[in-house]
Each structure stands twice: as structure tokens, then as C-alpha cells.
Amino acid sequence: AHRNQLRQVLAGKKVTVTAGATVERIDPVRFITNDSSGKMGIAIAKAARDMGASVRLIAGTVQVPLPEGIETVRVQSAQDMYEAVLGEWNHTDIMIQTAAVADYRPRTVYETKMKKKDEGFTLELEKTVDILESLGQRKQGQFLVGFAAETNDVAEHAMGKLKRKNCDLLVANDVTAVGAGFGTDTNLVQIYDAQGLVADLPLMSKDEVAIQLLSVVAKRLNGVST
Ligand code: CTP
Ligand code: CA
């Protein structure tokens, strides 16, 4: 019965999910990236699809196969992901930003391979665009969900990000916990809204986290009981 209620809310809704790691080039053979596997975002995309939503996945580097039957846009850099997200934004109902987006990129991208020198060298970095914060400023009825990987003071950081980025929900996970965070098949998360903690979920598979999260989203959208 619960799944049917979820289906009723999500059927036909346009859900955009970002997943995986961005890649910031240094030169043609070198780049900066992070450990994101894309598993959480892919689990959400599949779960939303299974509930009848029309899903678009925007994927950086992922370490698992991309799901078949979900329209997927591949991107490299934070800037590429930003542009892909903006392309979907006007017709998105629910935006879920699980991607681990680089905070910085090399100030200069060398067109030819950098040659080794005798001394060390300093790589200068500049800020990337904060995609989620930018979406938070442009919200026109879209339901916006952010993620946050934290190592300490999880609740405080989560609430700070939720407010700064104007998210409707923020999913926080303590990446120092066993079975949580990058690369694992399970996750240990808390879900926050502007009032504070909404759900403190036990350790469960990322597929199950996806369903729990979509239940909370559906409840917020249509007052479905969960
Ligand atoms: N995010 C984003 N664009 C960025 C950085 C982050 O859209 N340039 C999004 C992530 O996809 C995630 C949320 O913001 O949904 C939180 O990311 P996180 O790295 O935890 O937060 P930051 O604001 O980057 O802060 P910090 O890295 O200092 O913890
Ligand atoms: Ca960050």
C-alpha cells in the first residue's frame, strides 16, 4: 500500500539526479577527482524510475555500471555538471544532488603535458561554482535535495548547508561510520529539513536509503503518510 502511495505521488514527476565524482583537468594526462562511486545517486535514480518518475541522471565518474533505461548525461567538470543541470532545471520537479562536486579546479588548464622540473611546483586552484547553492537561489517550485558527507559535527554542518543552499531536504552521512559513505553498498544517514532532524535512519543498503528518501520527498510534496 505504501509503495502504491509513493507511486501515485512520483508517477510522471520529472526527477533529476546527479551522481558520481567530477573531474578537473590539470593537463591532457592529469586530473583532480574524488572517491565518490556514484552508487547513492544511481540507487535514487533507479528507485525513482521504479516508482514511475521520469528520471534524468547526470553522471560524473562512477565506479559501477550505469543503469539501463535511464536517460543519462555524462559530464566531467563541475562546470559541465552545472550546465547539464541548468539544462534540466526548468522542467525538473525534484532535483537530487548526490554528486561529489569538486570545490576547486586548477586556475590554468595546460593544453600540453606539463614537463617535470627539478624543483617542486605549486598548483594554483580556484573555486568552482556551487551548483546546489545556485539552484537554491533559482528555485521556482522545484523540490531541492542536497547531500553532505561529513566527518564531524554532522548535524551542525548539515543544517548550515541546508540553509545556505536553500534546500528542502538535506541528507547527511558521517563518512567515518562503518558501512557509510564512499564506495560502500550501505549508508548511514540523517535527513534534515529547515526545522531540523526529520529521519535518523539505521544502517541500510543504498537502495533502501533511496526508497526512504523518496518516501520523505513524496510526503512533503503531497502529504502522503509514510
Ligand atoms: N555541491 C555543489 N557544487 C559544489 C559543491 C557541492 O552542488 N561546487 C553540492 C553537493 O553535490 C552536495 C552539497 O552541495 O549536494 C554538499 O556538498 P559538500 O561538499 O558536502 O558541501 P560544501 O558546501 O562543498 O562544503 P564542504 O566541502 O566545505 O563541506
Ligand atoms: Ca565540498
Side-chain angles (χ1 to χ4, degrees), residues 52-113:
S54 160
V55 179
R56 180 67 51 98
L57 180 63
I58 298 172
T61 306
V62 296
Q63 287 161 30
V64 289
L66 285 166
E68 283 177 33
I70 293 181
E71 275 193 69
T72 303
V73 182
R74 299 303 308 270
V75 297
Q76 284 213 335
S77 66
Q79 185 62 33
D80 294 342
M81 183 170 279
Y82 182 53
E83 288 164 20
V85 163
L86 288 186
E88 302 299 328
W89 180 242
N90 286 336
H91 39 275
T92 290
D93 298 308
I94 303 165
M95 173 80 216
I96 305 181
Q97 175 88 4
T98 73
V101 183
D103 294 330
Y104 305 97
R105 66 180 175 203
R107 190 177 292 284
T108 309
V109 181
Y110 291 87
E111 279 175 19
T112 55
K113 186 185 170 194

Side-chain angles (χ1 to χ4, degrees), residues 5-205:
Q5 283 183 318
L6 264 180
R7 236 173 213 294
Q8 273 175 20
V9 178
L10 291 174
K13 288 279 189 314
K14 173 78 198 278
V15 177
T16 304
V17 182
T18 68
T22 62
V23 166
E24 307 299 332
R25 299 240 54 114
I26 299 169
D27 75 6
V29 297
R30 303 180 179 97
F31 56 83
I32 299 172
T33 190
N34 61 67
D35 283 318
S36 173
S37 67
K39 285 179 181 173
M40 193 62 248
I42 288 170
I44 292 168
K46 283 180 174 169
R49 188 242 351 241
D50 291 348
M51 292 168 192
S54 160
V55 179
R56 180 67 51 98
L57 180 63
I58 298 172
T61 306
V62 296
Q63 287 161 30
V64 289
L66 285 166
E68 283 177 33
I70 293 181
E71 275 193 69
T72 303
V73 182
R74 299 303 308 270
V75 297
Q76 284 213 335
S77 66
Q79 185 62 33
D80 294 342
M81 183 170 279
Y82 182 53
E83 288 164 20
V85 163
L86 288 186
E88 302 299 328
W89 180 242
N90 286 336
H91 39 275
T92 290
D93 298 308
I94 303 165
M95 173 80 216
I96 305 181
Q97 175 88 4
T98 73
V101 183
D103 294 330
Y104 305 97
R105 66 180 175 203
R107 190 177 292 284
T108 309
V109 181
Y110 291 87
E111 279 175 19
T112 55
K113 186 185 170 194
M114 292 177 75
K115 299 311 288 180
K116 181 164 59 182
K117 302 190 189 75
D118 287 338
E119 326 80 59
F121 86 107
T122 302
L123 184 64
E124 211 183 322
L125 303 178
E126 63 185 13
K127 285 278 284 288
T128 56
V129 59
D130 191 316
I131 301 169
L132 190 59
E133 189 172 332
S134 161
L135 295 181
Q137 289 162 359
R138 291 160 189 260
K139 237 168 31 176
Q140 288 179 311
Q142 292 92 341
F143 193 93
L144 189 58
V145 182
F147 269 70
E150 305 293 350
T151 58
N152 58 289
D153 304 314
V154 176
E156 197 184 318
H157 288 309
M159 287 305 288
K161 283 176 191 174
L162 181 131
K163 288 186 175 149
R164 179 157 52 86
K165 304 188 190 214
N166 195 24
C167 294
D168 295 287
L169 293 174
L170 191 118
V171 183
N173 65 317
D174 183 342
V175 291
T176 64
V178 175
F182 291 135
T184 57
D185 288 322
T186 53
N187 212 350
L188 181 64
V189 308
Q190 289 92 41
I191 304 175
Y192 294 86
D193 71 6
Q195 271 66 55
L197 186 66
V198 173
D200 187 2
L201 300 177
L203 187 71
M204 57 180 72
S205 69

